[in-house]
Amino acid sequence: MAAPARVAVVGLDCGTPELLFDRHADDMPTLRKLTEQALWGPLRSVVPPITVPAWSCMASGLTPGELGVYGFRNRSDHSYDKLAFATSKAIKVPRLWDRLGAAGGQSVVLGVPGTYPPSAIQGCMVSCFMAPSTDAAFTHPPELRDEVQQVTGGYVLDVADFRSDDKARVAQQVFDMTEQRFELARHLATTRPWDLFWFVDMGPDRLHHGFWSHCDPSHPRHEPGNRHAGVFTDYYRALDRHLASFLEALPDDTAVLVVSDHGAQPMLGGFRFNQWLVDQGLLVLAEAPAGPTPVNQARIDWSRTTAWGDGGYYGRLFLNVEGREPTGTVPASRYEEVRQELVDALESLVDHRGHRMGTRALRPEEVYPEVRGVAPDLVVYFGDLRWRAVGSIGHGPGLFTFENDTGPDDANHAENGVFALVGDGLPSGRRADLSIYDVAPTLQRMLGLPATPGQRGRIVA
């Protein structure tokens, strides 16, 4: 493999192969031309396929288990109420820009999830949407902040309240954010020295969650002729124009990787995870809530509780284990027996029409080579990620809902993202076996860095 002088990574959060490679391929001539010369295909994401920790897994070559990060919020210990957001401080291992800096190389990192607070890397960093606001110290070096604000006219970290019925406002902010992110990327790519340029646009993710039902006739809530039916087409055409402009700004000796952390698919509805545990007698409430209530704000009788869940695009189930949790009830000797009973029950669930949901319940130690931090006892994909896990309780009777407890949301995550790598001397053609863990070792090789022991992927180019 010939080593390119530099590598540019264009990250599209939630970039979905069925859209980018198929349904909207004609709307994206730049991406299509790139894939004709690229090594490309669907990219298998992490378990669970979610933004945090997926981008850090991609940039390190390690699993969520090895990072000890299983989502945006993680248990700090085995108490019932200590949850912590996984900021950049939760990532204790070097990511690609850290390894490159140690070898004397320069990086520009822009908007990569899991980079707030920013690190003092060799080069510069504009951290991610997890920054509380642009009043915070969200850049490295700190004085870069003023330049970012000047170039963009006011940097946008994320679409505000993207789970909203105000669709016109959300659509405009998605389009504006993507345009601004690419504009800033072009500026930094042409004004800074770099060997690695890695940026992520959150636009596709916010678009998919906000508008999938409007654009996909197969979505159960699709209404033909709705006013937003063309927003996917308009967005992907705009995205392709921005991509073309960014590629034109790059030096000729640059290899380019277009990549996403996970895909998306229609969300069929929500499964009331904790209500199901209540109905099974496994989660016991000391007092029934008066209305919808997050489970961590409910009054729970821990002395009679076996298990509880955390909601989101996937579910996390925790067992209340003697000697581990403060008021554990599951004897350690029965831990595996109880967990197997829950696996069997979850994987036997039927939907609101009586059809088997296809739920998967995964044991962390079976999907990760190491399990650090406080992992869930089970990672649950309701309906194989076609149903959202609703963690709140107090919604009244029934286990299924078609309203999201965190706001209107049309899409759930899917396990396959996208990968397209192109550069002089690199192989081309479609591959069906690409993994998110292949990215770090492959880019390290391209940048002339030594292999890192323990990385889980392969060099694919």
Side-chain angles (χ1 to χ4, degrees):
M1 177 179 66
R6 65 193 83 212
V7 177
V9 179
V10 180
L12 303 175
D13 197 281
C14 201
T16 302
E18 293 82 0
L19 300 182
L20 292 173
F21 294 152
D22 299 317
R23 194 181 307 171
H24 291 283
D26 289 343
D27 299 314
M28 303 198 71
T30 304
L31 180 64
R32 185 171 59 185
K33 182 178 179 181
L34 187 145
T35 57
E36 289 171 355
Q37 307 166 49
L39 177 68
W40 67 282
L43 184 81
R44 192 74 167 178
S45 186
V46 298
V47 175
I50 191 164
T51 298
V52 174
W55 287 106
S56 291
C57 293
M58 186 190 298
S60 68
L62 299 178
T63 68
E66 291 161 307
L67 299 183
V69 176
Y70 304 95
F72 283 86
R73 295 191 312 162
N74 297 271
R75 293 177 75 187
S76 300
D77 54 32
H78 282 103
S79 63
Y80 299 119
D81 57 357
K82 291 184 180 176
L83 293 171
F85 278 100
T87 69
S88 64
K89 294 181 179 178
I91 308 301
K92 308 295 187 186
V93 302
R95 286 174 277 190
L96 186 54
W97 43 84
D98 301 313
R99 296 190 186 285
L100 181 61
Q106 297 280 322
S107 297
V108 176
V109 178
L110 166 59
V112 179
T115 58
Y116 179 80
S119 306
I121 65 170
Q122 290 294 323
C124 65
M125 175 180 285
V126 180
S127 60
C128 68
F129 68 93
M130 293 179 71
S133 77
T134 52
D135 292 330
F138 72 103
T139 67
H140 168 79
E143 56 269 26
L144 175 60
R145 174 185 177 278
D146 291 342
E147 183 179 340
V148 169
Q149 294 288 56
Q150 183 177 14
V151 169
T152 60
Y155 187 64
V156 175
L157 290 163
D158 197 359
V159 174
D161 186 25
F162 66 91
R163 295 188 185 96
S164 166
D165 286 322
D166 187 357
K167 297 299 182 186
R169 190 267 302 168
V170 172
Q172 188 61 56
Q173 290 191 354
V174 170
F175 278 72
D176 290 348
M177 183 177 69
T178 291
E179 180 177 359
Q180 187 190 82
R181 194 61 46 89
F182 274 84
E183 178 185 5
L184 181 58
R186 285 193 300 274
H187 171 77
L188 294 175
T190 53
T191 59
R192 297 295 191 283
W194 53 271
D195 306 286
L196 171 68
F197 193 104
W198 191 322
F199 82 101
V200 172
D201 176 30
M202 293 300 298
D205 184 88
R206 298 340 188 193
L207 181 83
H208 296 165
H209 288 299
F211 294 95
W212 199 290
S213 72
H214 298 263
C215 304
D216 181 0
S218 72
H219 196 288
R221 295 195 299 277
H222 180 72
E223 296 180 6
N226 73 82
R227 62 178 297 198
H228 301 295
V231 72
F232 272 23
T233 297
D234 294 342
Y235 179 81
Y236 283 110
R237 289 175 177 171
L239 177 63
D240 196 73
R241 292 195 297 272
H242 299 318
L243 177 63
S245 180
F246 176 71
L247 297 181
E248 289 172 359
L250 299 178
D252 292 338
D253 57 359
T254 305
V256 175
L257 172 63
V258 178
V259 69
S260 67
D261 56 334
H262 57 77
Q265 60 185 325
M267 184 190 295
L268 302 184
F271 181 78
R272 291 173 175 157
F273 188 12
N274 278 311
Q275 185 59 53
W276 178 77
L277 289 168
V278 169
D279 293 352
Q280 302 299 308
L282 300 173
L283 172 58
V284 179
L285 301 176
E287 179 180 302
T293 304
V295 69
N296 62 358
Q297 297 176 19
R299 291 194 59 206
I300 296 173
D301 183 348
W302 292 109
S303 68
R304 294 192 294 153
T305 286
T306 299
W308 77 103
D310 197 8
Y313 296 118
Y314 68 103
R316 286 187 275 189
L317 184 139
F318 300 100
L319 288 175
N320 192 24
V321 180
E322 279 184 1
R324 193 182 75 173
E325 272 72 21
T327 316
T329 62
V330 178
S333 60
R334 292 195 63 236
Y335 174 81
E336 194 51 51
E337 176 188 352
V338 173
R339 188 162 65 155
Q340 182 61 51
E341 290 172 356
L342 278 158
V343 169
D344 293 342
L346 288 164
E347 295 190 343
S348 299
L349 287 170
V350 296
D351 66 16
H352 57 303
R353 293 190 174 94
H355 301 146
R356 194 146 179 158
M357 293 179 70
T359 296
R360 297 160 58 194
L362 310 172
R363 295 172 172 83
E365 68 272 22
E366 292 178 348
V367 294
Y368 308 129
E370 294 182 45
V371 180
R372 297 175 179 162
V374 184
D377 294 292
L378 290 173
V379 176
V380 186
Y381 292 179
F382 288 102
D384 203 12
L385 291 174
R386 293 185 298 274
W387 291 80
R388 180 183 175 88
V390 177
S392 54
I393 53 180
H395 293 272
L399 294 176
F400 298 93
T401 178
F402 301 95
E403 302 294 334
N404 190 1
D405 61 343
T406 58
D409 197 330
D410 283 354
N412 208 345
H413 290 190
E415 292 185 276
N416 283 337
V418 300
F419 179 101
L421 176 64
V422 63
D424 289 344
L426 299 178
S428 61
R430 190 180 190 281
R431 289 277 294 268
D433 60 346
L434 297 166
S435 161
I436 198 169
Y437 300 118
D438 297 340
V439 173
T442 298
L443 298 191
Q444 283 181 207
R445 172 75 174 276
M446 294 169 62
L447 291 165
L449 300 174
T452 303
Q455 284 181 326
R456 302 303 166 185
R458 311 153 298 162
I459 297 170
V460 296

